[in-house]
Amino acid sequence: METNRNEMIQLKEFEATAMPYRNELLRAATSMLGNRSEAEDIVQTLFLQAWRSWRSFTLGTNCRAWLYRILFHVASHHRRKWINQGQLREELETVELTMPWEAPVPEELHDEEMLEAFRKLPRHYAEVVMLADVHEFSYKEIRDRLGIPIGTVMSRLNRGRRILRQHLSGLAHLAHFAKRATGDGLREEARA
């Protein structure tokens, strides 16, 4: 009878301490695995393991960190099992086939070329790229400085970098043809 009472007390402690993190852990697992269904399985396994180990947990310590450690362990085990089943190979082939190709950026860039490509950026993208990549501000610092949401900071930075990459890859394409026209590229190709 005393054992049942202790188990009930432990169950209530577990529910009060660990279960509030369920949604957060599910979001983290979904982000890690990219699949909501698999993430739900992982979180269920995580809570099962947490309950089995609950006696070793010290109340008052950081339960969230303890649960995340279990999450990373369970997710790692899941990945190893997934890789052993050969599914990773199929996934990589799918990613390769669906991934868009981007032209290379030239290896040697001159300041004038970089500045010219930067001048072609719309002002709202240029501000964010300058603050993030030149002045090395964090997203939060850029948000505070420009007074825009952090999601807007991230999307403008992504789009600004993509536009810069497109302008600079055009230079790589031109440099390749210029090299071939002078014969330097032909000599390099013959050596290879």
Side-chain angles (χ1 to χ4, degrees):
M1 181 123 155
E2 185 66 30
T3 306
N4 287 343
R5 189 175 200 205
N6 287 340
E7 285 181 11
M8 289 302 291
I9 291 171
Q10 285 182 348
L11 181 60
K12 287 183 189 227
E13 288 173 349
F14 179 77
E15 287 176 346
T17 308
M19 293 307 287
Y21 297 107
R22 185 187 182 290
N23 289 337
E24 179 183 341
L25 292 163
L26 182 58
R27 282 191 303 273
T30 302
S31 176
M32 288 167 58
L33 300 171
N35 182 316
R36 173 82 179 197
S37 177
E38 288 181 28
E40 288 171 349
D41 292 344
I42 294 291
V43 171
Q44 186 174 0
T45 303
L46 172 155
F47 277 106
L48 181 61
Q49 286 187 9
W51 171 245
R52 287 179 181 161
S53 304
W54 187 247
R55 288 187 182 120
S56 67
F57 177 73
T58 307
L59 283 174
T61 60
N62 190 343
C63 183
R64 181 175 180 256
W66 183 69
L67 290 170
Y68 268 93
R69 191 168 44 243
I70 296 171
L71 171 67
F72 293 132
H73 171 75
V74 171
S76 175
H77 176 73
H78 174 76
R79 283 191 185 119
R80 276 194 306 270
K81 187 172 86 174
W82 191 58
I83 289 170
N84 290 340
Q85 292 174 350
Q87 293 176 354
L88 180 61
R89 203 173 13 244
E90 293 171 10
E91 285 290 321
L92 288 175
E93 289 172 4
T94 303
V95 168
E96 260 181 35
L97 294 173
T98 58
M99 186 178 256
W101 180 82
E102 290 185 12
V105 173
E107 291 180 23
E108 295 179 27
L109 282 174
H110 300 286
D111 291 341
E112 302 83 31
E113 295 168 332
M114 188 65 189
L115 287 172
E116 182 61 32
F118 190 78
R119 283 186 202 108
K120 291 179 181 179
L121 281 178
R123 192 180 122 271
H124 57 281
Y125 295 141
E127 290 173 332
V128 176
V129 171
M130 177 67 75
L131 290 172
D133 294 340
V134 177
H135 298 292
E136 298 180 342
F137 283 105
S138 69
Y139 292 161
K140 185 178 182 242
E141 291 170 324
I142 296 169
R143 176 199 67 192
D144 295 343
R145 192 171 199 97
L146 298 178
I148 57 175
I150 205 158
T152 305
V153 169
M154 292 187 293
S155 67
R156 286 184 183 177
L157 182 59
N158 182 36
R159 289 182 185 135
R161 286 174 176 166
R162 189 175 13 182
I163 293 168
L164 265 179
R165 200 175 306 114
Q166 289 169 347
H167 288 304
L168 295 173
S169 65
L171 291 175
H173 189 66
L174 293 174
H176 173 73
F177 284 112
K179 223 181 205 185
R180 287 192 63 126
T182 61
D184 292 343
L186 295 175
R187 283 192 291 276
E188 287 177 17
E189 288 175 13
R191 280 187 224 137

